[in-house]
Amino acid sequence: MRYQAIIFDLDGVICRTDQYHYLAWKQVADELGIPFDEQVNERLRGVSRMASFDIILERYDGTMSDEEKIHWTDKKNEIYKSMLTQMGPDDMLEGVADTLHKLRAMGLDLAIGSSSRNTKFILGQLGLSDFFDAISDGTNITRSKPDPEVFVKAAEFLNRAPAECLVVEDAEAGLQAATAGGMDSAAFGEIAIRSGLGTWNLERFSDLIGIVA
Ligand code: B16
Ligand code: MG
């Protein structure tokens, strides 16, 4: 087989939490009087919570202390987490459940590499708590994508060399992180494919089967 392990990003690859991120940030931005739209939101894909807020604050007319920043990011997370409680196994993206089981049957190691500190909660909502062989997420990294740390840690948890791993990503920052970590990547979703940064492009999630075989 071409790869021995696959490391999946979570938001935008396994499920769509991006609309909840957007709605929660929008509430915070509105309260602070900061202009915030889908275009700014695109820049937050794959980026950590605090780094996302720093991008939103580029349009803030004032200064903010570190304590205030923690207050507003905590508030965003409370709003976001209350939205996540509506999620269930049906919120996996099309073809994901079936493809994951086929990849497992092929004997591949399967891991998550997500910037989110809510990864385990989201996997629980999707009914995937015990599915993956390793989880590397926002709770075990100090540097956000495009730094490769989250994927390097995932490969370490699996005991795999970077060259044995394929990363699946919907964010430019995530594709850059994979390359920086010495890993091939599969771009998923319109924006990632258009960036031309992936080793492969996935039209459908199930295309992964042919790529790894
Ligand atoms: P949290 P991914 C990322 O998830 C999201 O794409 C990004 O928008 C979010 O800011 C980041 O997680 C942190 O999320 O606030 O839950 O810790 O795409 O890396 O799975
Ligand atoms: Mg993502």
Side-chain angles (χ1 to χ4, degrees), residues 23-24 27-28 74-83:
L23 291 170
Q27 277 192 40
V28 165
D74 281 352
K75 177 156 190 178
K76 180 265 175 177
N77 196 49
E78 273 169 37
I79 301 167
Y80 173 63
K81 277 197 79 173
S82 73
M83 292 172 175

Side-chain angles (χ1 to χ4, degrees), residues 18-33:
D18 46 359
Q19 74 263 29
Y20 300 134
H21 279 296
Y22 174 73
L23 291 170
W25 280 129
K26 180 80 180 135
Q27 277 192 40
V28 165
D30 284 352
E31 221 175 300
L32 286 163

Side-chain angles (χ1 to χ4, degrees), residues 32-35 56-64:
L32 286 163
I34 304 172
I56 291 167
L57 285 177
E58 286 172 12
R59 294 183 176 186
Y60 182 54
D61 218 11
T63 50
M64 200 175 277

